[in-house]
Amino acid sequence: MTPPVFLTYTRISRKSGGILKVKAQFSFVILLLFAVSGVSFPQATKAQLEVSETIFSLAAALNSCGYDSGLESSLPLRHAVRAELQKAVASSPEAATALNTLCEFRREHAPAEAGRDTSQYVSLALDLGEPPTFKPALLEADLPPDAAQVLGVVPLLQKFYKAAGLHTIWQKHQAEYEGAVRQFHDPVANVITETDLYLKLPFSNPGGTRFVVYLEPMLAPGQVNSRNYAENYYLVVSPAKETVPERLRLQEIRHTYLHYVLDPLALKHTRSLKKIEPLLNSIQSAPLELSYKYDISLLVNECLIRAIEARTLTGANPTGSNEKARLAYVQHSVEEGFVLTRYFYEALGPFEKASTGLKDAYGDLLYNISLDREKKRASEVEFASQAAPEVVRASKQPAHEEKLLDTAEQRLAGGDTAGAQKLALQVINNPKTDEDPGRALFILARSATLSGDMEGAQNYFDKAIHSAHDPRTLAWSHIYLGRILDIQENRDAALEHYRAALAAGDPTPDTKTAAEKGLAAPYQPRRPR
């Protein structure tokens, strides 16, 4: 059993002109080094292996702030850089002050979810330009939510970079970074080539798209960070020291590469995907990320990827047959909620014997899904209590331009709470949306109230308070929370929310009346007639 790996996969669309700036400064140097060093290329590969001073700088700063994850399995290079930074900070009051400020920022912006601290900085680093300015390529509104959360670290990083002499340290170890690229090129290239051969895909890269793997030894070897910006896919991985059996997370690299191949195909088969969308109702109790429960394309492609991984699983069980291990992998995926994994596993058998490549076979794989059969299969699954840590997080922009929350409000008013919830969740799971996540949470809270889920309603109203920008949404979230607390006979806490509602800045009379009424007497729900 491999140790848990934190794999973040974020699908983000970009507006016209909003192109992500990629750190490719060493691409030519690396290719030249390959040419003169005699390193053989098994064939041209779609994956680009690169290094980035920007990612190095941010990762080095995190290490100086106590980021020790995976230190025992890291390359000696990481230990050397940490020691050099410690010496630089000890000898420079300016560097010490800059580091203290940066570390305080990190403490103040630690996410509630364990393990997400470093990934938000990696997400930001992929958008930053070269040192010493680290200028963001995108507007704050266009950044992924986790990156936007820590955007304020940029001026602090600028000061630390200069005061601690990070550029000098980078130059000192640059050759080691480039050596790692040469060392791990062939393993990565082989993974991509083997995958293309199985899927019967052309070896040429789709025009205008990139699949880039950044090597960053200052991060934990057990952690893989994967990002999807428009048609381009990026991974940031850290090699482990020589005594570690799996020195590079090739399985996770391959997993993200499969998304790189399959995600564009889903966009071409929206009609077929729409027909099997009712299957989503069968997985609502599964321990999946919400995005899988409300986006059929995400669910289908993850199931297909897991089926491909199962079909190509080798050496998984030395004491038994590979088939037994493959079926166990399929069953595990199904129990997590990826209920179409078994269908695709079976369908890939005939695919392997045919000459048709996956790009042409993808439509037939969807067409041959029997919705009734798969719904029956799903109904018989006893879902696991939780999903494995490797589950990929995904979010996707809706394909239409209409305001989803306006439609959600209409559905809520018409009594369609499930429909309202689905649209609100699409907004929350879409980091590119221009709609207010606070309003989406407010809709989810009211939907939960109408469904009798008071615990869920209280949770969503509380989240809306911390996310809403609109004064009315903020005020009414406080009012509803006050009423819930009154019902729970927690009068003191309820009064705090009624006062906060008055201070939210909403000038409409009904808000003021509701808040003042809550201050005057505890809320009493209406009795049904």
Side-chain angles (χ1 to χ4, degrees), residues 170-187:
W170 165 255
Q171 287 182 316
K172 179 179 178 180
H173 296 284
Q174 185 175 334
E176 294 174 76
Y177 270 74
E178 294 166 353
V181 169
R182 292 194 299 274
Q183 181 180 7
F184 291 104
H185 170 272
D186 282 2

Side-chain angles (χ1 to χ4, degrees), residues 339-357:
V339 292
L340 286 173
T341 305
R342 188 176 304 282
Y343 162 76
F344 284 121
Y345 181 82
E346 295 166 351
L348 285 171
F351 164 79
E352 291 169 0
K353 299 174 183 177
S355 59
T356 306

Side-chain angles (χ1 to χ4, degrees), residues 9-14 18-22 48 126 205-212 226-235 256 259-260 263-264:
Y9 166 65
T10 311
R11 301 180 62 186
I12 301 174
S13 299
R14 292 281 173 251
I19 302 173
L20 183 71
K21 184 177 181 182
V22 179
Q48 296 172 254
L126 285 169
N205 221 32
T209 66
R210 301 186 73 205
F211 182 79
V212 183
S226 171
R227 300 289 185 272
N228 165 218
Y229 294 95
E231 295 83 15
N232 302 318
Y233 287 68
Y234 305 93
L235 290 92
T256 307
H259 275 289
Y260 171 73
D263 288 347

